[in-house]
Amino acid sequence: MNISIRTQGTLAIYEQIVAQLKNAIVTGELKPGEALPSIRSLAGQLEVSVITTKRAYEELEKEHLIRSVPGKGFYVCEYNQDYLKEKQYIGLEQRMAEVLSDCFKAGMSKKNVMDMVKELMEDL
């Protein structure tokens, strides 16, 4: 699994870690019962603070996506994939609404926005 951090992004680093781990769980890249890297190991790989990775793991634990086994590490929990996808879609919808609002505040027309989306989709 590859986690990439954008230091110039709008999301906090721990939020980026949480989002990418959630996505890996939803897509099946991380399977239930699979071990995650230790907090220190992940912090070292990403070149971030141990506190940052600890916070990310705590957030995932609160949502019952991972569990801590004392002395052994963190593991992916059994999960409801439909629930996770729905939650992910809701978050994406909120972000898209913010972006669209910014587009219209900048004076873009609906056609301008749709043309931009089409161009961006072609580059994916």
Side-chain angles (χ1 to χ4, degrees):
M1 181 186 66
N2 186 22
I3 296 176
S4 60
I5 301 299
R6 293 187 183 150
T7 55
Q8 305 299 327
T10 57
L11 286 178
I13 292 172
Y14 86 92
E15 292 174 318
Q16 293 178 51
I17 295 168
V18 168
Q20 290 179 54
L21 287 173
K22 279 184 186 179
N23 187 57
I25 293 169
V26 168
T27 61
E29 184 179 351
L30 288 174
K31 309 269 186 249
E34 186 172 340
L36 296 174
S38 72
I39 290 172
R40 289 183 197 277
S41 172
L42 185 59
Q45 289 172 17
L46 300 177
E47 298 179 350
V48 299
S49 164
V50 169
I51 295 168
T52 300
T53 54
K54 184 175 188 294
R55 184 166 181 193
Y57 278 18
E58 287 171 350
E59 290 293 319
L60 292 165
E61 268 191 300
K62 283 180 192 173
E63 293 190 43
H64 305 289
L65 296 174
I66 65 172
R67 62 180 162 59
S68 173
V69 177
K72 294 198 176 199
F74 291 87
Y75 296 85
V76 177
C77 293
E78 293 289 330
Y79 53 87
N80 180 335
Q81 194 167 7
D82 292 336
Y83 168 76
L84 288 177
K85 280 190 178 186
E86 181 65 25
K87 195 167 183 180
Q88 187 177 39
Y89 290 164
I90 289 169
L92 289 169
E93 186 176 4
Q94 290 170 343
R95 289 182 18 219
M96 286 178 76
E98 291 171 12
V99 169
L100 288 172
S101 176
D102 290 345
C103 289
F104 295 129
K105 285 178 187 173
M108 293 178 72
S109 69
K110 184 177 178 180
K111 183 180 180 341
N112 295 140
V113 172
M114 294 302 289
D115 290 343
M116 182 184 285
V117 169
K118 286 177 186 173
E119 284 181 38
L120 293 171
M121 292 293 291
E122 288 174 4
D123 293 339
L124 294 178

